[in-house]
């Protein structure tokens, strides 16, 4: 079935450093969503990207959707301890099916 | 308050017993999902439902069953056929299955001993 590959699996940074996680699909995605899961919590929706080449910003977070709509990235500028958690990308299943398929996530830890 | 509720938060069962996890939403969402989360595995889709009285298998449906008799409820039964049932189970809902954000419950951590 549809696979959404996410790298890296883990990332440890010093507070103030930047962080980027990447999401790749073997097929074109109609849209991609990003979620954040705090330790011990549940995933919370951050954003959805729909258009080719789309870039959206939320304060220190920048989300991009590739021109071919097969990859996406989340970049955090000047990380803070509140950014700790696991970041997931998610997209529709293969063939535009009604599934919502998640990547394995990138676990971010921030050293104060 | 609108939201999605899973209960209980922690559940312990003996091996060989079936167990049902509850998921209720009052968001008037059509679509509902069950995911399983294991360390390092991300979220894997067990079952999903687009509408009442209809549901589809996800990627790891073996050993699980669901029902969708009411719009607001999507219970998941973990049967004794599930080889490795200990995990964190997350229920989610969305307005539609396609292209809309999913809202997650708090999750149920199931431990089978």
């Amino acid at each position: 079935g549809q696979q959404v590959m996410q790298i890296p699996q883990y990332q440890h940074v010093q507070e103030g450093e930047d962080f980027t996680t990447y999401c790749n699909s073997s097929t074109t995605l109609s849209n991609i969503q990003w979620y954040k899961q705090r330790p011990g919590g549940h995933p919370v929706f951050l954003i959805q990207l729909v258009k080719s080449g789309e870039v959206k910003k939320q304060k220190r977070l920048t989300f991009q959707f590739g021109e071919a709509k097969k990859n996406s990235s989340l970049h955090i500028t000047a990380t803070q301890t509140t950014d700790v958690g696991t970041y997931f990308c998610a997209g529709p299943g293969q063939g535009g099916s009604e599934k919502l398929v998640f990547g394995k996530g990138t676990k971010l830890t921030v050293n104060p | 308050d609108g939201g999605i509720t899973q209960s209980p938060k922690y559940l312990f069962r003996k091996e060989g017993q079936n167990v049902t996890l509850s998921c209720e939403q009052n968001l008037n969402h059509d679509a509902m999902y069950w995911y399983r989360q294991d360390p390092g595995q991300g979220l894997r889709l067990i079952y999903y439902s687009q509408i009442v009285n209809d549901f589809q298998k996800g990627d790891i449906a073996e050993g699980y069953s669901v029902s969708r008799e009411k719009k607001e409820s999507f219970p998941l039964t973990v049967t004794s056929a599930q080889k490795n049932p200990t995990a964190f189970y997350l229920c989610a809902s969305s307005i539609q299955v396609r292209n809309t954000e999913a809202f997650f419950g708090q999750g149920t951590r199931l431990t089978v001993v």
Side-chain angles (χ1 to χ4, degrees):
Chain A
Q2 171 72 32
Q3 284 198 333
V4 179
M5 309 301 294
Q6 199 171 346
I7 55 170
Q9 191 172 356
Y10 301 95
Q11 186 75 57
H12 179 79
V13 299
Q14 288 291 128
E15 189 172 20
E17 291 181 341
D18 292 356
F19 159 77
T20 304
T21 174
Y22 301 89
C23 189
N24 297 293
S25 169
S26 57
T27 59
T28 301
L29 300 168
S30 59
N31 70 89
I32 194 155
Q33 300 175 12
W34 285 93
Y35 292 77
K36 177 183 178 181
Q37 184 177 23
R38 293 182 186 275
H42 59 280
V44 174
F45 175 82
L46 294 175
I47 209 160
Q48 177 171 277
L49 305 172
V50 179
K51 298 177 183 176
S52 169
E54 189 170 14
V55 178
K56 287 189 177 180
K57 292 190 175 186
Q58 290 179 351
K59 297 184 180 177
R60 294 176 296 103
L61 277 60
T62 301
F63 304 84
Q64 295 190 34
F65 201 10
E67 294 290 340
K69 301 182 75 173
K70 290 185 176 181
N71 57 76
S72 180
S73 65
L74 158 59
H75 179 81
I76 302 179
T77 303
T79 54
Q80 301 175 358
T81 54
T82 53
D83 295 324
V84 164
T86 301
Y87 293 84
F88 294 97
C89 60
Q94 193 166 20
S97 80
E98 288 74 21
K99 298 180 184 181
L100 182 60
V101 178
F102 282 76
K104 292 190 176 182
T106 297
K107 185 175 181 179
L108 173 65
T109 53
V110 179
N111 202 26
Chain B
D1 286 339
I4 181 164
T5 303
Q6 288 184 245
S7 61
K9 190 170 183 180
Y10 299 96
L11 191 54
F12 294 87
R13 280 293 183 270
K14 289 186 178 179
E15 192 173 341
Q17 290 181 335
N18 290 357
V19 59
T20 298
L21 310 185
S22 169
C23 179
E24 302 278 332
Q25 54 98 0
N26 60 4
L27 300 167
N28 201 32
H29 286 172
D30 285 317
M32 296 188 76
Y33 314 80
W34 274 105
Y35 291 91
R36 170 181 171 139
Q37 187 172 33
D38 298 283
Q41 291 294 321
L43 280 72
R44 292 184 291 170
L45 183 63
I46 305 172
Y47 269 98
Y48 63 102
S49 169
Q50 299 177 67
I51 199 167
V52 175
N53 292 322
D54 180 67
F55 49 83
Q56 306 294 329
K57 291 183 179 180
D59 299 317
I60 56 164
E62 186 175 349
Y64 299 97
S65 66
V66 293
S67 63
R68 187 87 188 274
E69 296 176 2
K70 298 186 296 182
K71 187 175 186 177
E72 57 270 23
S73 179
F74 192 39
L76 172 74
T77 297
V78 184
T79 74
S80 57
Q82 169 50 232
K83 300 298 181 193
N84 207 9
T86 294
F88 187 48
Y89 290 89
L90 286 158
C91 180
S93 71
S94 61
I95 295 173
Q96 303 167 3
V97 177
R98 290 179 185 263
N99 303 335
T100 58
E101 69 178 276
F103 293 80
F104 282 82
Q106 301 289 327
T108 293
R109 191 165 298 279
L110 173 65
T111 302
V112 176
V113 295

